[in-house]
Amino acid sequence: MRYLAPRTADDAVAALLAEKGPTRILAGGTDVLVQMRSGAVEPDLIVDIKRIPGLDRITREDGGWRIGAAVPNAALGEDRDLRASWAGVVEAANLIGSTQVQGRATMVGNLCNGSPAADSVPALVAAEAVARIHGPDGTRDCPVAEIPAGPGKTTLKKGEIVTSLFLPARPRRSGDAYLRFIPRTEMDIAVASAAVSVELDAHGRIVRARVALGAVAPTVLVAEEAAAILTGTQGEDDVLERMAEACRAICRPIDDKRGTVEFRRSVAGTLAKRAARIALQRAGGQS
Amino acid sequence: MSFDEYHRREFRQVGRRVPRPDGVDKVTGRALYGADMTAPGMLWGAILRSPHAHARIRSIDVSEALKLDGVKAIVTGADFGEVEDESIRDIRDNCMARDKVLYDGHAVAALAASDPRVARKALKLIRVEYEVLPHVTELEDAMKPDAPVVQEGRVQETVPPGMSANVTSYCEFGHGDLEAGFAAADHIVEREFRTAATHQGYIEPHACLAAVTADGKADLWCCTQGQYMVRSVCAAIMGMEASQLRVTASEIGGGFGGKTTVFIEPVALMLSKKAGRPVKIVMSREEVFRATGPTVHSRSRIRIGMTRDGRITAAEARLYYSGGAFPCGTVEMGAQAAFACYDLQAVRSQGWNVLTNRPKEAAYRAPGAPVAIYAVESVVDELCQHFGLDPLEVRLKNAARKGTKSSYGPTFPDIGLVATLEAAKAHPHYAAPLGPNQGRGISCGFWFNFGGNTCVTLNINPDGTVSVTEGNPDIGGSRASISLMAAEELGIPYDRVRTIVADTASLGYNDVTDGSRVTFAVGLATIKAARAAIRVMCERAARIWGIDPEAVEWKDGAAVPAGPNAGKFPPMTLAEIAANSFRTGGPIAGHHEVNADGAGVSFGVHICDVEVDPETGATRVLRYTVFQDAGKAVHPDYVEGQMQGGAAQGIGWALNEEYIYGADGRLQNPGFLDYRVPVASDLPPIEPVILEIPNPGHPYGVRGVGETGIVPPLAAVSNAVSRATGVRMTELPLSPPRVLAAIRRSRATDGA
């Protein structure tokens, strides 16, 4: 096994392209190292991207935020502006693991690990976050929603590296929230999760909504009908109940040690309803 | 023998919350645990485990693995010789399969290599040919007449004919006329309960280092609850004399009963013998889950009759336990404990043990009692609800007390249950208001406690300090407690005493650290060893003073003349006597050896408040209070720690912990991610209330406290959830999907 810590994204891409055996990109390592220790993966090459300049920074861009691939989740929680604008995204990222894990784990790592239960991914999808990808053909931008491809899989091609995530600027009267269900209070993996992002008009009416569900299908789900139900309303109780049902209707969960199909479906809707209430509250709405 | 008995006294040392002697080493990372031992030339052992729940081993080909550079020895079941004793044979076969693998994770071969990576690589080169057999991992399935038989020929004569060969033993306890008792009841509740197997969940995985020399001597370092047990079992399996095997216990990162047997130690010894080098084995967490002792999983049927004023007229329990692939006596303890909290005219408990293709059960804190008492206390709670009676009043009305003929035979001496119930009733927790979706559950608990074989040596050092040598690994603060008792008896400060845990060659035999026995039995032996040393010190003082030894007594840490007729001498302190000891006859020591009796049974009452989210089935424990009769609390911090720790483990058992097997017979959750012990944020502060009702069988009134605390939480939590949701819960764990489904079922029925 070789370990490389290149100083540029191009060098990292070249190293990954040149390696014939299994490779892993190392940022915080909170998934990769665990997988290696358990024997689940035995990479021939590890490319550490933490030494690439800029990847460890959060920068403002067009009123939004560009978050480098090596920014630990703890740093997100310490960025007051980011937290105020994208509270749901930050709380999703900050739910992952323990305090120690927070000091290492990154949102890009969470995304690229490909887990259907990844906490930050539904929140990023609801936020319409965009990933910047460095690859053999240069740089491209891709909506976060299009990156997961199934458990442990992404749509990234060989040699491609997600170097940053972009969260857009927030208008006034907007808010987001993320909730997950775990049997414990922390240190666990989502059995079902939901993220909701809303923008309100001056009358507290929802003009734009986005709902994403986690751990209820092979990849994160964008609940378009649920978002449509919210749009034009003030998030009244009966609207939220209908929205929850619309979420339940699109779930395609599995039965496993963490929960039954019936349970996941039911709880996903409940979480969406509760997350919508929090998002509305953050946006300054009625609920 | 009146010297043994409890006498009321004022304590100077006992009862203080002194710093623990092992504390600094543990928080600074210096304490040496099982995996911290190394030796020159040491090899690393690794174990190949079965991927099948049940299979015949057709062949094992180790030739490719042996060719790998760095591999020094490989052992399989064929390397282990015959053993006469059946229980030791079972341990041997659990450590290394012989003809069949009996569960997912059962060891089939082991090797020793120059480093862990080579060892792991070599494991993949061992070829095992299996003939996969039908398996059965669930108790109910295993009892069916056509079930696959886990082990043939293990059925005891006590088992009634006509049952599956997996049902290996039957037991029965009780007294009185059940039929008449049930006829006298105003209402009878009969319910069936299920509990999942749980693991002890100690943080330190099993680890050992074995070094066998060419002339047949051996040293073994390991983390264990009993180095003498390890010596006995390993010597029998290896065909060695006990004196040739010296076992040293490391610091221990939790045991809870799970380290009262061996799993890797005989394997490491055999590898070391074959390789001629020291061999270390450290289990991974996955191995701990798959191949070390969980507790039993159970099914039970409870029937209790009650009058409308709350008097229990008859009670019956049928308990079915499975301790995995080997016969297991835990159901007998469950059947004996089931109704121990009650004073009953008519009672019967029956128990059956059932084999399944799961790992061999190991003891877990009050083994057998939690699941039996969970079922009984659930039915008592339901009867209280039926009649609208206060659950503490009903328990007080029926509580076992001095003179009660217990359901398992003995008549109780002075016991603390009534005092414990009264304390619970008077506590503000019991009267605190509850909000919506909240419920309060209570449960009693009981444990037998144990004394057992114990040796202690107490040395008076020339500088006036004292060294106590005992033979039980310190799993709950026993070194501090024993030092406190030695200091108390000798009349010297606590910090003059240091207690160490000896290896098997340095002290006589000691039973395992189990049965909540150590503070009681080792404490008893320590007090008597101190008294023996005091007798010698009084003799030395008498010699110096030139008076009769009978004319000297011990007071406040010094020898003094027994009365005005003995002569006028200033007190001679322990330090002065010690300093002169080389001139007065040599070093001074006291020792005591005993098979201690009189441990004294223990009772507890727990109150638990929960809130259940009706939309997700999630349960949050809001408030939890533990009342327990501790006898004299030697070190109250540790007593409280035992009460809180037992409650925390019991809450985990009640809410989320479970062994989950797939249809393929493999364990689905061998790790702390999906085997959910409570994390700190899952639990409220657990308030411990110690009741000090002296145990008449101990000079200081000490009673074991370690195990009782895990008994009540299962029913306390389940009763609270049942009351919060309005649905009687009958299966553990109360995981959110199960609770939500129960709420939905009940609403559907209500709506219909």
Side-chain angles (χ1 to χ4, degrees):
Chain A
M1 189 190 76
R2 288 184 309 139
Y3 167 89
L4 294 176
R7 300 303 168 112
T8 69
D10 289 343
D11 285 353
V13 169
L16 288 168
L17 265 185
E19 175 60 50
K20 293 204 172 56
T23 60
R24 280 291 182 279
I25 298 169
L26 181 72
T30 56
D31 285 315
V32 170
L33 293 186
V34 174
Q35 288 160 3
M36 285 170 61
R37 291 197 69 158
S38 74
V41 291
E42 291 178 15
D44 287 337
L45 173 68
I46 288 176
V47 177
D48 186 343
I49 57 169
K50 286 193 290 292
R51 307 261 177 96
I52 299 173
L55 261 56
D56 60 345
R57 280 209 292 275
I58 304 172
T59 46
R60 296 304 297 263
E61 188 179 309
D62 298 336
W65 288 263
R66 182 159 298 285
I67 299 163
V71 173
N73 291 344
L76 305 177
E78 285 165 11
D79 189 315
R80 190 173 299 181
D81 291 343
L82 178 62
R83 215 173 53 210
S85 287
W86 289 110
V89 172
V90 173
E91 72 196 1
N94 286 166
L95 280 174
I96 299 165
S98 61
T99 302
Q100 293 92 325
V101 167
Q102 283 288 307
R104 304 291 294 181
T106 66
M107 280 205 295
V108 168
N110 196 218
L111 171 64
C112 296
N113 185 47
S115 165
D119 283 308
S120 67
V121 174
L124 287 167
V125 168
E128 297 184 80
V130 174
R132 177 153 296 168
I133 298 164
H134 266 74
D137 306 324
T139 302
R140 66 182 177 105
D141 284 346
C142 172
V144 163
E146 291 171 20
I147 289 181
K153 294 196 189 89
T154 66
T155 56
L156 296 170
K157 294 192 280 286
K158 185 168 173 66
E160 285 194 324
I161 302 171
V162 176
T163 51
S164 67
L165 296 171
F166 181 71
L167 284 167
R170 281 304 248 174
R172 284 181 61 198
R173 291 190 293 276
S174 61
D176 72 330
Y178 171 80
L179 291 173
R180 66 172 181 184
F181 183 85
I182 54 172
R184 301 190 265 227
T185 46
E186 59 179 335
M187 301 295 289
D188 215 327
I189 287 182
V191 178
S193 66
V196 177
S197 174
V198 294
E199 291 173 30
L200 310 183
D201 65 14
H203 309 291
R205 211 166 286 282
I206 300 169
V207 292
R208 195 176 153 81
R210 212 163 137 89
V211 180
L213 305 173
V216 287
T219 63
V220 60
L221 293 180
V222 179
E224 283 170 8
E225 199 193 325
I229 290 169
L230 286 177
T231 307
T233 75
Q234 292 185 314
E236 297 85 351
D237 283 351
D238 63 316
V239 171
L240 294 185
E241 287 302 337
R242 275 192 291 131
M243 190 271 305
E245 275 310 309
C247 288
R248 290 178 184 125
I250 61 165
C251 293
R252 290 175 278 126
I254 54 166
D255 253 325
D256 73 356
K257 61 200 170 194
R258 296 194 183 129
T260 58
V261 166
E262 185 196 6
F263 181 77
R264 285 192 155 106
R265 191 189 297 279
S266 173
V267 169
T270 302
L271 295 174
K273 179 175 75 182
R274 293 178 180 179
R277 282 208 180 96
I278 298 169
L280 279 161
Q281 218 163 42
R282 286 177 176 160
Q286 308 269 311
S287 281
Chain B
M1 290 300 283
S2 64
F3 208 45
D4 291 10
E5 288 168 10
Y6 170 74
H7 293 291
R8 210 180 157 73
R9 61 186 286 161
E10 291 299 319
F11 292 103
R12 291 185 177 181
Q13 299 293 335
V14 162
R16 293 171 61 218
R17 297 173 189 259
V18 295
R20 62 188 299 161
D22 50 330
V24 171
D25 279 355
K26 282 181 175 165
V27 299
T28 56
R30 283 165 177 246
L32 297 175
Y33 290 91
D36 294 325
M37 300 296 165
T38 54
M42 184 183 86
L43 303 174
W44 292 81
I47 297 173
L48 184 69
R49 297 185 178 278
S50 168
H52 305 294
H54 194 193
R56 197 169 302 288
I57 301 172
R58 280 209 183 122
S59 64
I60 303 175
D61 179 1
V62 300
S63 54
E64 287 302 311
L66 268 177
K67 281 183 207 156
L68 190 70
D69 196 27
V71 174
K72 304 295 183 191
I74 300 186
V75 301
T76 66
D79 289 283
F80 292 86
E82 281 313 313
V83 171
E84 228 166 86
D85 182 275
E86 190 176 61
S87 66
I88 292 187
R89 205 155 59 216
D90 281 351
I91 295 172
R92 176 199 65 187
D93 295 350
N94 188 43
C95 291
M96 190 59 69
R98 285 170 99 76
D99 308 322
K100 286 206 299 184
V101 291
L102 301 173
Y103 55 90
D104 165 45
H106 200 168
V108 289
L111 55 81
S114 49
D115 81 68
R117 262 174 306 176
V118 172
R120 276 200 300 276
K121 203 169 159 192
L123 281 188
K124 293 180 186 167
L125 300 174
I126 298 177
R127 300 270 165 261
V128 184
E129 202 190 331
Y130 294 104
E131 175 194 342
V132 177
L133 302 170
H135 65 267
V136 59
T137 54
E138 301 304 318
L139 183 156
E140 273 119 320
D141 299 333
M143 288 174 63
K144 290 176 185 158
D146 58 344
V149 176
V150 176
Q151 284 199 56
E152 297 281 359
R154 301 307 298 266
V155 180
Q156 289 180 7
E157 292 161 4
T158 50
V159 180
M163 305 190 87
S164 154
N166 290 322
V167 181
T168 54
S169 65
Y170 169 78
C171 62
E172 188 177 325
F173 302 91
H175 57 252
D177 184 343
L178 278 179
E179 218 169 296
F182 281 116
D186 292 317
H187 187 64
I188 297 168
V189 167
E190 182 168 359
R191 286 267 188 195
E192 204 167 293
F193 298 87
R194 285 182 176 78
T195 66
T198 57
H199 196 273
Q200 294 82 349
Y202 31 82
I203 296 304
E204 183 198 18
H206 300 262
C208 70
L209 171 63
V212 181
T213 61
D215 59 352
K217 290 197 287 288
D219 268 297
L220 179 65
W221 295 266
C222 58
C223 71
T224 177
Q225 288 176 242
Q227 60 272 43
Y228 298 88
M229 170 279 299
V230 173
R231 182 183 69 177
S232 305
V233 173
C234 290
I237 291 175
M238 298 295 293
M240 294 176 72
E241 289 171 356
S243 61
Q244 298 307 310
L245 174 60
R246 183 172 66 159
V247 183
T248 308
S250 69
E251 288 293 335
I252 182 167
F256 312 110
K259 292 174 182 169
T260 57
T261 183
V262 299
F263 299 100
I264 51 174
E265 292 80 358
V267 179
L269 283 165
M270 194 59 84
L271 283 169
S272 174
K273 185 179 176 184
K274 231 170 156 173
R277 309 242 302 253
V279 174
K280 172 158 149 175
I281 298 182
V282 181
M283 270 188 162
S284 68
R285 181 62 59 189
E286 183 185 326
E287 287 181 288
V288 171
F289 274 110
R290 286 172 72 203
T292 70
T295 183
V296 294
H297 72 288
S298 80
R299 199 189 89 182
S300 54
R301 200 168 183 85
I302 309 294
R303 187 170 177 235
I304 299 177
M306 193 181 271
T307 61
R308 57 177 51 85
D309 64 346
R311 181 70 202 159
I312 297 173
T313 58
E316 195 184 4
R318 271 172 282 175
L319 307 170
Y320 305 87
Y321 285 13
S322 178
F326 295 86
C328 154
T330 301
V331 75
E332 286 181 36
M333 289 192 272
Q336 292 182 73
F339 294 109
C341 295
Y342 294 105
D343 181 10
L344 301 172
Q345 298 301 308
V347 56
R348 183 175 67 190
S349 52
Q350 297 164 285
W352 291 263
N353 179 68
V354 185
L355 299 181
T356 50
N357 290 114
R358 293 184 179 217
K360 186 179 193 294
E361 182 252 21
Y364 182 18
R365 226 168 177 160
V371 296
I373 288 180
Y374 148 70
V376 168
E377 289 293 274
S378 295
V379 171
V380 170
D381 194 56
E382 189 173 350
L383 283 161
C384 294
Q385 283 182 303
H386 176 82
F387 289 120
L389 295 171
D390 180 281
L392 274 180
E393 291 293 351
V394 166
R395 282 167 175 92
L396 272 167
K397 186 167 269 189
N398 295 284
R401 56 196 79 212
K402 186 176 183 176
T404 293
K405 181 177 165 56
S406 69
S407 56
Y408 63 97
T411 298
F412 286 132
D414 252 341
I415 55 173
L417 179 58
V418 169
T420 311
L421 286 162
E422 295 282 8
K425 207 173 104 184
H427 194 276
H429 183 172
Y430 198 57
L434 289 168
N437 299 316
Q438 296 180 357
R440 175 167 298 143
I442 72 150
S443 174
C444 297
F446 159 86
W447 185 243
F448 305 95
N449 287 346
F450 180 54
N453 294 297
T454 309
C455 299
V456 167
T457 292
L458 184 149
N459 289 298
I460 308 291
N461 301 320
D463 67 351
T465 61
V466 172
S467 300
V468 179
T469 306
E470 53 121 336
N472 281 91
D474 179 353
I475 62 172
S478 54
R479 278 171 293 196
S481 299
I482 288 158
S483 292
L484 278 170
M485 286 185 270
E488 181 76 49
E489 196 62 31
L490 293 168
I492 59 172
Y494 163 75
D495 59 15
R496 297 277 174 80
V497 185
R498 183 174 176 200
T499 299
I500 63 121
V501 179
D503 64 64
T504 55
S506 305
L507 193 68
Y509 184 89
N510 285 271
D511 280 330
V512 171
T513 297
D514 71 355
S516 301
R517 75 176 210 89
V518 171
T519 310
F520 166 77
V522 180
L524 179 95
T526 300
I527 293 164
K528 294 202 170 184
R531 288 176 183 174
I534 286 170
R535 276 195 293 276
V536 177
M537 289 190 285
C538 288
E539 283 164 21
R540 300 295 176 89
R543 185 176 303 183
I544 292 168
W545 290 331
I547 63 174
D548 194 84
E550 302 297 312
V552 179
E553 62 182 23
W554 193 258
K555 205 177 162 200
D556 299 336
V560 293
N565 296 338
K568 231 175 145 44
F569 303 99
M572 188 178 291
T573 64
L574 180 145
E576 288 164 344
I577 296 169
N580 286 313
S581 62
F582 294 177
R583 288 186 293 275
T584 58
I588 300 168
H591 62 94
H592 192 76
E593 294 78 28
V594 65
N595 187 350
D597 225 341
V601 295
S602 165
F603 293 90
V605 176
H606 292 196
I607 307 177
C608 171
D609 292 356
V610 302
E611 181 170 327
V612 180
D613 183 336
E615 287 186 310
T616 65
T619 298
R620 200 156 68 87
V621 181
L622 303 171
R623 186 171 181 180
Y624 203 100
T625 310
V626 177
F627 305 85
Q628 192 173 316
D629 168 17
K632 178 64 196 171
V634 176
H635 192 306
D637 277 354
Y638 289 136
V639 173
E640 290 167 1
Q642 291 292 334
M643 291 161 69
Q644 291 167 324
Q649 287 188 312
I651 291 168
W653 198 333
L655 288 181
N656 280 309
E657 293 182 37
E658 63 178 319
Y659 263 49
I660 304 170
Y661 280 90
D664 58 0
R666 302 195 64 182
L667 183 61
Q668 300 289 298
N669 56 336
F672 278 133
L673 180 58
D674 285 306
Y675 181 90
R676 290 185 177 78
V677 300
V679 297
S681 56
D682 290 339
L683 299 171
I686 294 167
E687 185 187 339
V689 179
I690 300 174
L691 285 100
E692 293 190 309
I693 295 141
N695 172 17
H698 186 280
Y700 294 173
V702 170
R703 201 185 280 281
V705 297
E707 288 164 292
T708 306
I710 201 174
V711 181
L714 283 61
V717 173
S718 183
N719 290 341
V721 171
S722 299
R723 285 171 180 259
T725 58
V727 188
R728 177 52 54 183
M729 305 302 298
T730 58
E731 187 169 0
L732 298 183
L734 295 161
S735 55
R738 180 169 289 148
V739 173
L740 187 62
I743 294 171
R744 294 266 158 88
R745 268 200 307 277
S746 130
R747 301 239 164 118
T749 321
D750 290 350

